Amino acid sequence: MSELPRGIQALNQGASALRRSVSGEARSALCGMGSCHECRDRQGVRTCLPMQPAANSQARRTETAIAVFGAGPAGIASARAALASHQRVLLIDDNLQAGGQIWRGEGRAIPAGVEWLGGASVLDAPSPHHVRLVSDNEHIDVHFERAVLCTGATERFLPFPGWTLPGVFGAGGLQALVKSGLAVAGKRVVLAGSGPLLLAVAALLQRRRARVLCLLEQAPRSRVRSLIGAVWNRPGKLLQAGQLFATLRGIPRHHEAWVLRAEGRERLESITVRLSTGSGTRETRIECDALAIGYGLVPRVRVAQALGCELADDRVRVDERQTTSIGHIFAAGECTGIGGLGKALAEGELAGRAAAGLAIEARHLRHVRQEQVFADALARVYALDPRLRELADPDTIVCRCEDVRLRDLDGLVDWREARLQARVGMGPCQGTVCAPALEFLRGYAARDPRAPLSPVPLERLSHPPQ
């Protein structure tokens, strides 16, 4: 592995906090993917990432027939399918390597013939055929005839007392950090939240010799077991599930269970959890070194919104050919609804073929429908318990960038008022962390992505390249 990012090096060397918040609280990495900005230093540089935008940059322009945004499973499948049309295909991702979160660190190859533009984030979308990117040393104007959006998802965090302590990670965040080099051998870890991601992260931690103490799933056991019906005729998914459960044999798994609070001085020392019992509930304190917690995934739709695509139920709206409300823009994978690897691959292939003008066969449509049925089953099974809205008390921080507490939102009726009067979503993450949480807690709907969509040094906005 190449040299580790500074933040991960510091954590491996025993550091607890990577920064201090606006009110002086110790903070550390949360998301592991550059979205939360909790690993940033005093210059605003995200220390968990291997590269950062420089103050000065070069400008260039490029044109392509098909631009694919996102190089996870959906994006790679889309680019590979589109390439069969012998048109120019450009694959863009804000990571230096392809693979996305699922294949992070696995060295996934870019399909031969596809042009690769890694380490480049979307800054703005001046028109539906034009995006402006920022890389470590360039401003890049990309003009395209057609586009496929495979922008993936971010993790949903629900605030509770103590969730800002160093040592509390997102479940997917800890997964990303471990894959990027964070050492967890011998660490006592609790996983909590909701969804099959918890199982995958637990398996990874087991392989890296962490001590996984238990898994806390908020969904009832009976609902989770009902997934068997959704995968009974899907041998691949049955095999995957069987392998996961075999790997995790012996680790306690609790249902209708969640973390009530995290405690510690300057870093996590213990958590108090709510467990369901045959006769009711009980609270238990668990000493641990790390908590990996996430309540499912949320589609990343900001680029789609900036391009003018319509949403439906917080995801990019597409038809049966993966076409968005903008006829030359297609979408696939988690940004169209959370469904996992199979859905991403099936939709990615279909969207790539559609964007390239290739024939769409019945088997392509059938495969996508099958995966969407499974995605719908996941959504039903892991629907969030309304009681999770009671976790945050009035003093709980709900916006980590600006240290906004739940009580600061009293009397504010929507996202716009919360932004204007309490500065919610006004920090570096621009609502990536707090917006999904407050939509669940308060019904606030954030629908106003604004440029720049990605962080960039002020000097590059004040003196843009010519």
Side-chain angles (χ1 to χ4, degrees), residues 411-423:
L412 305 181
V413 300
D414 58 24
W415 177 254
R416 183 174 182 276
E417 284 194 6
R419 283 181 71 108
L420 291 175
Q421 299 188 39
R423 292 192 56 80

Side-chain angles (χ1 to χ4, degrees), residues 71 89-93 95-99 110 114-119:
V89 179
L90 177 64
L91 182 59
I92 302 164
D93 198 275
N95 286 291
L96 290 172
Q97 295 182 335
I110 307 300
V114 170
E115 295 185 48
W116 169 240
L117 182 52

Side-chain angles (χ1 to χ4, degrees), residues 55-295:
N56 300 310
S57 64
Q58 302 295 316
R60 68 181 173 99
R61 171 192 170 103
T62 188
E63 297 182 1
T64 187
I66 302 169
V68 180
F69 294 89
I76 291 175
S78 180
R80 180 180 291 110
L83 195 63
S85 67
H86 304 291
Q87 299 177 73
R88 185 181 180 192
V89 179
L90 177 64
L91 182 59
I92 302 164
D93 198 275
D94 50 12
N95 286 291
L96 290 172
Q97 295 182 335
Q101 176 69 344
I102 292 179
W103 291 336
R104 180 184 292 263
E106 296 184 14
R108 292 283 168 162
I110 307 300
V114 170
E115 295 185 48
W116 169 240
L117 182 52
S121 303
V122 177
L123 188 67
D124 192 9
S127 80
H129 286 275
H130 172 205
V131 297
R132 190 165 289 136
L133 308 178
V134 59
S135 70
D136 59 342
N137 58 6
E138 287 186 311
H139 269 70
I140 309 163
D141 283 288
V142 177
H143 296 262
F144 52 86
E145 297 174 21
R146 280 143 284 139
V148 184
L149 307 180
C150 304
T151 49
T154 55
E155 203 158 9
R156 179 190 283 112
F157 305 103
L158 297 183
F160 57 91
W163 77 299
T164 58
L165 279 170
V168 178
F169 302 91
L174 185 56
Q175 180 187 49
L177 291 166
V178 169
K179 287 183 176 183
S180 297
L182 180 67
V184 292
K187 300 292 186 182
R188 301 166 299 170
V189 186
V190 173
L191 289 106
S194 196
L197 177 62
L198 299 181
L199 302 175
V201 177
L204 172 65
L205 294 174
Q206 286 275 87
R207 294 194 296 272
R208 300 298 175 91
R209 294 180 288 115
R211 294 173 54 197
V212 180
L213 302 182
C214 62
L215 278 74
L216 309 175
E217 167 60 60
Q218 64 87 33
R221 188 182 303 273
S222 59
R223 281 216 318 252
V224 175
R225 284 178 172 170
S226 72
L227 267 180
I228 295 175
V231 300
W232 190 252
N233 295 320
R234 310 290 297 279
K237 293 191 186 303
L238 273 177
L239 177 62
Q240 183 183 31
Q243 291 172 336
L244 273 177
F245 285 120
T247 301
L248 303 179
R249 185 180 294 115
I251 297 175
R253 295 195 300 273
H254 303 277
H255 292 264
E256 288 187 89
W258 46 78
V259 177
L260 295 173
R261 54 189 174 274
E263 296 157 326
R265 292 177 298 177
E266 294 292 299
R267 65 165 297 113
L268 178 68
E269 297 172 5
S270 67
I271 59 174
T272 299
V273 305
R274 172 209 185 269
L275 301 178
S276 294
T277 66
S279 57
T281 63
R282 64 183 175 92
E283 294 186 10
T284 298
R285 182 175 178 270
I286 303 173
E287 294 184 356
C288 56
D289 302 305
L291 168 64
I293 185 166
Y295 288 93

Side-chain angles (χ1 to χ4, degrees), residues 276-392:
S276 294
T277 66
S279 57
T281 63
R282 64 183 175 92
E283 294 186 10
T284 298
R285 182 175 178 270
I286 303 173
E287 294 184 356
C288 56
D289 302 305
L291 168 64
I293 185 166
Y295 288 93
L297 301 174
V298 181
R300 290 180 65 181
V301 297
R302 294 173 68 186
V303 174
Q305 288 178 286
L307 287 165
C309 301
E310 294 179 2
L311 304 185
D313 298 325
D314 298 323
R315 54 193 177 186
V316 183
R317 182 173 66 81
V318 294
D319 63 15
E320 66 172 6
R321 295 168 56 89
Q322 304 301 129
T323 313
T324 72
S325 59
I326 306 295
H328 67 279
I329 300 178
F330 303 79
E334 305 287 59
C335 68
T336 68
I338 307 304
L341 178 59
K343 175 178 176 292
L345 293 173
E347 289 188 353
E349 180 182 9
L350 176 56
R353 294 185 68 85
L358 297 172
I360 304 298
E361 300 176 12
R363 63 182 178 88
H364 297 125
L365 300 173
R366 183 170 58 251
H367 191 187
V368 167
R369 284 195 295 268
Q370 289 174 342
E371 293 298 337
Q372 289 172 342
V373 167
F374 180 68
D376 292 341
L378 287 177
R380 289 193 301 271
V381 166
Y382 294 109
L384 297 182
D385 192 311
R387 290 173 291 182
L388 295 171
R389 293 190 176 96
E390 302 168 7
L391 293 178

Side-chain angles (χ1 to χ4, degrees), residues 435-453:
L438 289 174
E439 184 162 15
F440 178 73
L441 294 177
R442 289 292 186 95
Y444 294 170
R447 298 286 185 271
D448 55 348
R450 301 176 183 181
L453 300 180

